[in-house]
Amino acid sequence: MSTSEHRAERDTAALLLRATLGPMLFAHGWNKVRGPGGLKGTTGWFETLGLRPAALHARLAAGTEMAAGITMTLGIAGPLPAAAAVGLMTTAARTDHRGKGFFVFEGGWEYVGVVGGAATALAALGNGRYSVDALVRRQWSGTGAAALAAGLGVGGGLALLRACYRPGDDPQDAPEG
């Protein structure tokens, strides 16, 4: 196989990964805003998860998913949308999926693990020639890009959890100031 054929296969793989992950992320964000419960329902869910303030986190999660979904689909900003996906999945693994085992049908971390791993793999592949990044001649790929996506994502998720995750702390029980 020639270098050109190998490159075309990598570019196609990157496009397929972007076309799978990006719209899925966008749909999850859109559902948080416009799904059956809307932002109010998402806020209530985040409240039960222990993310404080829940209304802010509902909006941040939805916005991050939609922005990462769009930029990933179009192939913009190299590993940064992948980092956003990893951060979202890190937070979800710790809050909603923790202690529920592996399988997603039991509430486990299978789904978030696959999404985070696929996003990191996409960062390693790069967006390829069928992307906005290629049009502006800006390409990031390789081990460094994957490490950046994983590091920023996990680090950002853990920082958010450290600052804002308060399970069992019901704000309605707090004394009024």
Side-chain angles (χ1 to χ4, degrees):
M1 177 182 300
S2 73
T3 303
S4 175
E5 290 171 325
H6 185 261
R7 172 76 182 186
E9 288 179 353
R10 285 180 55 118
D11 291 339
T12 301
L15 176 62
L16 290 171
L17 221 68
R18 291 190 353 256
T20 302
L21 288 174
M24 182 272 311
L25 284 169
F26 181 85
H28 275 258
W30 184 260
N31 189 60
K32 285 177 175 62
V33 176
R34 297 288 182 196
L39 269 174
K40 184 177 180 180
T42 302
T43 298
W45 174 42
F46 279 29
E47 190 73 53
T48 65
L49 292 176
L51 291 166
R52 309 285 189 255
L56 174 65
H57 286 282
R59 286 165 174 77
L60 287 174
T64 301
E65 283 175 325
M66 289 189 289
I70 290 168
T71 54
M72 187 178 286
T73 300
L74 296 175
I76 299 171
L80 297 180
V86 170
L88 289 159
M89 297 306 113
T90 299
T91 304
R94 177 70 171 92
T95 58
D96 194 29
H97 301 278
R98 184 176 183 210
K100 298 178 182 175
F102 174 72
F103 294 106
V104 71
F105 59 82
E106 295 173 348
W109 60 270
E110 172 187 19
Y111 167 79
V112 297
V114 169
V115 172
T120 304
L122 176 58
L125 271 174
N127 286 327
R129 69 175 143 181
Y130 312 118
S131 68
V132 172
D133 279 352
L135 288 174
V136 298
R137 292 180 162 66
R138 182 179 54 212
Q139 289 286 343
W140 296 287
S141 64
T143 305
L148 179 67
L152 279 177
V154 171
L158 293 177
L160 179 139
L161 289 166
R162 183 160 175 79
C164 303
Y165 183 50
R166 305 287 180 265
D169 179 21
D170 189 344
Q172 294 179 358
D173 294 339
E176 292 187 30

mmCIF file of all heavy atoms in Angstrom, residues 40-73:
data_model
loop_
_atom_site.group_PDB
_atom_site.id
_atom_site.type_symbol
_atom_site.label_atom_id
_atom_site.label_comp_id
_atom_site.label_asym_id
_atom_site.label_seq_id
_atom_site.Cartn_x
_atom_site.Cartn_y
_atom_site.Cartn_z
ATOM 1 N N LYS A 40 -35.083 22.691 32.353
ATOM 2 C CA LYS A 40 -35.606 22.515 33.709
ATOM 3 C C LYS A 40 -35.399 21.074 34.175
ATOM 4 O O LYS A 40 -34.947 20.837 35.296
ATOM 5 C CB LYS A 40 -37.085 22.893 33.766
ATOM 6 C CG LYS A 40 -37.665 22.820 35.150
ATOM 7 C CD LYS A 40 -39.109 23.278 35.182
ATOM 8 C CE LYS A 40 -39.647 23.175 36.606
ATOM 9 N NZ LYS A 40 -41.034 23.598 36.687
ATOM 10 N N GLY A 41 -35.699 20.126 33.313
ATOM 11 C CA GLY A 41 -35.500 18.719 33.648
ATOM 12 C C GLY A 41 -34.027 18.380 33.813
ATOM 13 O O GLY A 41 -33.642 17.646 34.723
ATOM 14 N N THR A 42 -33.199 18.911 32.924
ATOM 15 C CA THR A 42 -31.754 18.675 33.021
ATOM 16 C C THR A 42 -31.212 19.274 34.315
ATOM 17 O O THR A 42 -30.392 18.656 34.998
ATOM 18 C CB THR A 42 -31.022 19.265 31.804
ATOM 19 O OG1 THR A 42 -31.558 18.671 30.610
ATOM 20 C CG2 THR A 42 -29.530 19.013 31.871
ATOM 21 N N THR A 43 -31.676 20.463 34.656
ATOM 22 C CA THR A 43 -31.257 21.092 35.911
ATOM 23 C C THR A 43 -31.637 20.221 37.106
ATOM 24 O O THR A 43 -30.820 20.000 38.002
ATOM 25 C CB THR A 43 -31.873 22.499 36.044
ATOM 26 O OG1 THR A 43 -31.392 23.306 34.970
ATOM 27 C CG2 THR A 43 -31.517 23.145 37.369
ATOM 28 N N GLY A 44 -32.846 19.707 37.114
ATOM 29 C CA GLY A 44 -33.275 18.825 38.192
ATOM 30 C C GLY A 44 -32.428 17.562 38.274
ATOM 31 O O GLY A 44 -32.062 17.111 39.363
ATOM 32 N N TRP A 45 -32.108 17.003 37.127
ATOM 33 C CA TRP A 45 -31.264 15.806 37.081
ATOM 34 C C TRP A 45 -29.876 16.124 37.627
ATOM 35 O O TRP A 45 -29.330 15.384 38.448
ATOM 36 C CB TRP A 45 -31.202 15.296 35.640
ATOM 37 C CG TRP A 45 -30.275 14.151 35.397
ATOM 38 C CD1 TRP A 45 -30.087 13.048 36.186
ATOM 39 C CD2 TRP A 45 -29.407 13.995 34.281
ATOM 40 N NE1 TRP A 45 -29.165 12.215 35.604
ATOM 41 C CE2 TRP A 45 -28.735 12.771 34.433
ATOM 42 C CE3 TRP A 45 -29.152 14.767 33.155
ATOM 43 C CZ2 TRP A 45 -27.806 12.305 33.500
ATOM 44 C CZ3 TRP A 45 -28.238 14.292 32.228
ATOM 45 C CH2 TRP A 45 -27.580 13.079 32.410
ATOM 46 N N PHE A 46 -29.290 17.233 37.181
ATOM 47 C CA PHE A 46 -27.963 17.620 37.665
ATOM 48 C C PHE A 46 -27.990 17.910 39.161
ATOM 49 O O PHE A 46 -27.017 17.665 39.862
ATOM 50 C CB PHE A 46 -27.440 18.817 36.869
ATOM 51 C CG PHE A 46 -26.829 18.442 35.541
ATOM 52 C CD1 PHE A 46 -27.247 17.330 34.832
ATOM 53 C CD2 PHE A 46 -25.834 19.217 34.994
ATOM 54 C CE1 PHE A 46 -26.676 16.992 33.610
ATOM 55 C CE2 PHE A 46 -25.253 18.897 33.778
ATOM 56 C CZ PHE A 46 -25.674 17.781 33.081
ATOM 57 N N GLU A 47 -29.097 18.434 39.637
ATOM 58 C CA GLU A 47 -29.261 18.680 41.070
ATOM 59 C C GLU A 47 -29.146 17.358 41.834
ATOM 60 O O GLU A 47 -28.438 17.264 42.830
ATOM 61 C CB GLU A 47 -30.624 19.335 41.324
ATOM 62 C CG GLU A 47 -30.814 19.861 42.718
ATOM 63 C CD GLU A 47 -30.009 21.120 42.976
ATOM 64 O OE1 GLU A 47 -30.107 22.082 42.206
ATOM 65 O OE2 GLU A 47 -29.269 21.116 43.982
ATOM 66 N N THR A 48 -29.847 16.320 41.345
ATOM 67 C CA THR A 48 -29.794 15.015 42.026
ATOM 68 C C THR A 48 -28.417 14.382 41.929
ATOM 69 O O THR A 48 -28.033 13.607 42.802
ATOM 70 C CB THR A 48 -30.849 14.033 41.470
ATOM 71 O OG1 THR A 48 -30.545 13.720 40.101
ATOM 72 C CG2 THR A 48 -32.255 14.586 41.594
ATOM 73 N N LEU A 49 -27.668 14.716 40.870
ATOM 74 C CA LEU A 49 -26.308 14.190 40.729
ATOM 75 C C LEU A 49 -25.335 14.857 41.692
ATOM 76 O O LEU A 49 -24.280 14.298 41.988
ATOM 77 C CB LEU A 49 -25.808 14.379 39.292
ATOM 78 C CG LEU A 49 -26.493 13.553 38.213
ATOM 79 C CD1 LEU A 49 -25.948 13.940 36.842
ATOM 80 C CD2 LEU A 49 -26.332 12.069 38.467
ATOM 81 N N GLY A 50 -25.668 16.061 42.154
ATOM 82 C CA GLY A 50 -24.786 16.773 43.064
ATOM 83 C C GLY A 50 -23.913 17.824 42.411
ATOM 84 O O GLY A 50 -22.925 18.261 43.011
ATOM 85 N N LEU A 51 -24.245 18.244 41.196
ATOM 86 C CA LEU A 51 -23.492 19.307 40.527
ATOM 87 C C LEU A 51 -24.096 20.647 40.913
ATOM 88 O O LEU A 51 -25.267 20.904 40.670
ATOM 89 C CB LEU A 51 -23.523 19.105 39.019
ATOM 90 C CG LEU A 51 -22.736 17.898 38.528
ATOM 91 C CD1 LEU A 51 -23.083 17.571 37.085
ATOM 92 C CD2 LEU A 51 -21.243 18.137 38.686
ATOM 93 N N ARG A 52 -23.291 21.500 41.556
ATOM 94 C CA ARG A 52 -23.774 22.779 42.070
ATOM 95 C C ARG A 52 -23.016 23.939 41.426
ATOM 96 O O ARG A 52 -21.788 23.869 41.349
ATOM 97 C CB ARG A 52 -23.576 22.859 43.596
ATOM 98 C CG ARG A 52 -24.114 21.684 44.364
ATOM 99 C CD ARG A 52 -25.633 21.719 44.460
ATOM 100 N NE ARG A 52 -26.090 20.683 45.378
ATOM 101 C CZ ARG A 52 -26.666 19.553 44.995
ATOM 102 N NH1 ARG A 52 -26.909 19.320 43.734
ATOM 103 N NH2 ARG A 52 -27.051 18.659 45.882
ATOM 104 N N PRO A 53 -23.681 24.978 40.995
ATOM 105 C CA PRO A 53 -25.130 25.139 40.877
ATOM 106 C C PRO A 53 -25.645 24.386 39.645
ATOM 107 O O PRO A 53 -25.100 24.514 38.540
ATOM 108 C CB PRO A 53 -25.339 26.642 40.752
ATOM 109 C CG PRO A 53 -24.052 27.162 40.185
ATOM 110 C CD PRO A 53 -22.970 26.211 40.652
ATOM 111 N N ALA A 54 -26.702 23.633 39.840
ATOM 112 C CA ALA A 54 -27.207 22.728 38.812
ATOM 113 C C ALA A 54 -27.642 23.450 37.539
ATOM 114 O O ALA A 54 -27.396 22.961 36.431
ATOM 115 C CB ALA A 54 -28.348 21.894 39.376
ATOM 116 N N ALA A 55 -28.288 24.596 37.672
ATOM 117 C CA ALA A 55 -28.755 25.317 36.481
ATOM 118 C C ALA A 55 -27.581 25.738 35.597
ATOM 119 O O ALA A 55 -27.655 25.647 34.369
ATOM 120 C CB ALA A 55 -29.579 26.542 36.883
ATOM 121 N N LEU A 56 -26.510 26.184 36.200
ATOM 122 C CA LEU A 56 -25.322 26.567 35.448
ATOM 123 C C LEU A 56 -24.708 25.340 34.762
ATOM 124 O O LEU A 56 -24.369 25.389 33.585
ATOM 125 C CB LEU A 56 -24.295 27.227 36.366
ATOM 126 C CG LEU A 56 -22.949 27.546 35.732
ATOM 127 C CD1 LEU A 56 -23.109 28.590 34.627
ATOM 128 C CD2 LEU A 56 -21.971 28.025 36.796
ATOM 129 N N HIS A 57 -24.599 24.246 35.489
ATOM 130 C CA HIS A 57 -23.993 23.042 34.916
ATOM 131 C C HIS A 57 -24.838 22.445 33.804
ATOM 132 O O HIS A 57 -24.291 21.899 32.839
ATOM 133 C CB HIS A 57 -23.701 22.012 36.008
ATOM 134 C CG HIS A 57 -22.536 22.413 36.835
ATOM 135 N ND1 HIS A 57 -21.239 22.260 36.404
ATOM 136 C CD2 HIS A 57 -22.469 22.995 38.040
ATOM 137 C CE1 HIS A 57 -20.418 22.725 37.320
ATOM 138 N NE2 HIS A 57 -21.143 23.193 38.330
ATOM 139 N N ALA A 58 -26.159 22.537 33.920
ATOM 140 C CA ALA A 58 -27.027 22.048 32.847
ATOM 141 C C ALA A 58 -26.739 22.817 31.563
ATOM 142 O O ALA A 58 -26.612 22.230 30.476
ATOM 143 C CB ALA A 58 -28.492 22.198 33.249
ATOM 144 N N ARG A 59 -26.611 24.116 31.675
ATOM 145 C CA ARG A 59 -26.336 24.952 30.504
ATOM 146 C C ARG A 59 -24.922 24.728 29.968
ATOM 147 O O ARG A 59 -24.715 24.645 28.753
ATOM 148 C CB ARG A 59 -26.550 26.422 30.854
ATOM 149 C CG ARG A 59 -28.015 26.788 30.976
ATOM 150 C CD ARG A 59 -28.250 28.127 31.672
ATOM 151 N NE ARG A 59 -29.644 28.514 31.663
ATOM 152 C CZ ARG A 59 -30.571 27.994 32.471
ATOM 153 N NH1 ARG A 59 -30.248 27.070 33.363
ATOM 154 N NH2 ARG A 59 -31.829 28.395 32.389
ATOM 155 N N LEU A 60 -23.955 24.635 30.860
ATOM 156 C CA LEU A 60 -22.571 24.396 30.426
ATOM 157 C C LEU A 60 -22.423 23.045 29.740
ATOM 158 O O LEU A 60 -21.751 22.945 28.710
ATOM 159 C CB LEU A 60 -21.609 24.480 31.615
ATOM 160 C CG LEU A 60 -21.330 25.865 32.164
ATOM 161 C CD1 LEU A 60 -20.484 25.786 33.431
ATOM 162 C CD2 LEU A 60 -20.633 26.719 31.112
ATOM 163 N N ALA A 61 -23.023 22.013 30.308
ATOM 164 C CA ALA A 61 -22.926 20.683 29.704
ATOM 165 C C ALA A 61 -23.587 20.675 28.328
ATOM 166 O O ALA A 61 -23.013 20.172 27.358
ATOM 167 C CB ALA A 61 -23.561 19.636 30.612
ATOM 168 N N ALA A 62 -24.788 21.240 28.235
ATOM 169 C CA ALA A 62 -25.496 21.269 26.951
ATOM 170 C C ALA A 62 -24.699 22.069 25.918
ATOM 171 O O ALA A 62 -24.509 21.614 24.780
ATOM 172 C CB ALA A 62 -26.886 21.879 27.132
ATOM 173 N N GLY A 63 -24.236 23.241 26.302
ATOM 174 C CA GLY A 63 -23.465 24.077 25.384
ATOM 175 C C GLY A 63 -22.165 23.429 24.951
ATOM 176 O O GLY A 63 -21.782 23.487 23.777
ATOM 177 N N THR A 64 -21.482 22.798 25.893
ATOM 178 C CA THR A 64 -20.216 22.131 25.568
ATOM 179 C C THR A 64 -20.455 20.970 24.619
ATOM 180 O O THR A 64 -19.713 20.788 23.647
ATOM 181 C CB THR A 64 -19.509 21.656 26.852
ATOM 182 O OG1 THR A 64 -19.261 22.783 27.694
ATOM 183 C CG2 THR A 64 -18.197 20.958 26.533
ATOM 184 N N GLU A 65 -21.499 20.179 24.874
ATOM 185 C CA GLU A 65 -21.795 19.060 23.978
ATOM 186 C C GLU A 65 -22.141 19.549 22.576
ATOM 187 O O GLU A 65 -21.664 18.987 21.583
ATOM 188 C CB GLU A 65 -22.949 18.221 24.536
ATOM 189 C CG GLU A 65 -22.515 17.322 25.669
ATOM 190 C CD GLU A 65 -23.656 16.576 26.317
ATOM 191 O OE1 GLU A 65 -24.776 17.139 26.418
ATOM 192 O OE2 GLU A 65 -23.434 15.420 26.727
ATOM 193 N N MET A 66 -22.954 20.591 22.483
ATOM 194 C CA MET A 66 -23.333 21.088 21.158
ATOM 195 C C MET A 66 -22.136 21.706 20.434
ATOM 196 O O MET A 66 -21.926 21.440 19.243
ATOM 197 C CB MET A 66 -24.496 22.071 21.269
ATOM 198 C CG MET A 66 -25.798 21.369 21.631
ATOM 199 S SD MET A 66 -27.276 22.419 21.539
ATOM 200 C CE MET A 66 -27.038 23.489 22.950
ATOM 201 N N ALA A 67 -21.354 22.514 21.130
ATOM 202 C CA ALA A 67 -20.186 23.139 20.495
ATOM 203 C C ALA A 67 -19.149 22.092 20.089
ATOM 204 O O ALA A 67 -18.612 22.144 18.972
ATOM 205 C CB ALA A 67 -19.565 24.173 21.432
ATOM 206 N N ALA A 68 -18.870 21.150 20.970
ATOM 207 C CA ALA A 68 -17.916 20.090 20.639
ATOM 208 C C ALA A 68 -18.444 19.240 19.487
ATOM 209 O O ALA A 68 -17.678 18.844 18.597
ATOM 210 C CB ALA A 68 -17.634 19.218 21.861
ATOM 211 N N GLY A 69 -19.741 18.984 19.479
ATOM 212 C CA GLY A 69 -20.325 18.194 18.401
ATOM 213 C C GLY A 69 -20.187 18.863 17.049
ATOM 214 O O GLY A 69 -19.815 18.225 16.052
ATOM 215 N N ILE A 70 -20.460 20.148 17.002
ATOM 216 C CA ILE A 70 -20.350 20.890 15.736
ATOM 217 C C ILE A 70 -18.900 20.967 15.281
ATOM 218 O O ILE A 70 -18.580 20.677 14.122
ATOM 219 C CB ILE A 70 -20.959 22.303 15.872
ATOM 220 C CG1 ILE A 70 -22.479 22.206 16.012
ATOM 221 C CG2 ILE A 70 -20.571 23.189 14.685
ATOM 222 C CD1 ILE A 70 -23.146 23.496 16.439
ATOM 223 N N THR A 71 -18.001 21.371 16.185
ATOM 224 C CA THR A 71 -16.598 21.533 15.781
ATOM 225 C C THR A 71 -15.952 20.191 15.435
ATOM 226 O O THR A 71 -15.141 20.120 14.520
ATOM 227 C CB THR A 71 -15.779 22.275 16.854
ATOM 228 O OG1 THR A 71 -15.920 21.613 18.113
ATOM 229 C CG2 THR A 71 -16.228 23.718 16.986
ATOM 230 N N MET A 72 -16.351 19.134 16.143
ATOM 231 C CA MET A 72 -15.814 17.813 15.821
ATOM 232 C C MET A 72 -16.319 17.362 14.452
ATOM 233 O O MET A 72 -15.543 16.852 13.635
ATOM 234 C CB MET A 72 -16.203 16.806 16.900
ATOM 235 C CG MET A 72 -15.546 15.450 16.740
ATOM 236 S SD MET A 72 -15.993 14.329 18.075
ATOM 237 C CE MET A 72 -15.027 14.995 19.431
ATOM 238 N N THR A 73 -17.598 17.531 14.186
ATOM 239 C CA THR A 73 -18.171 17.114 12.906
ATOM 240 C C THR A 73 -17.488 17.824 11.747
ATOM 241 O O THR A 73 -17.145 17.195 10.741
ATOM 242 C CB THR A 73 -19.686 17.400 12.875
ATOM 243 O OG1 THR A 73 -20.316 16.674 13.938
ATOM 244 C CG2 THR A 73 -20.297 16.975 11.545
#
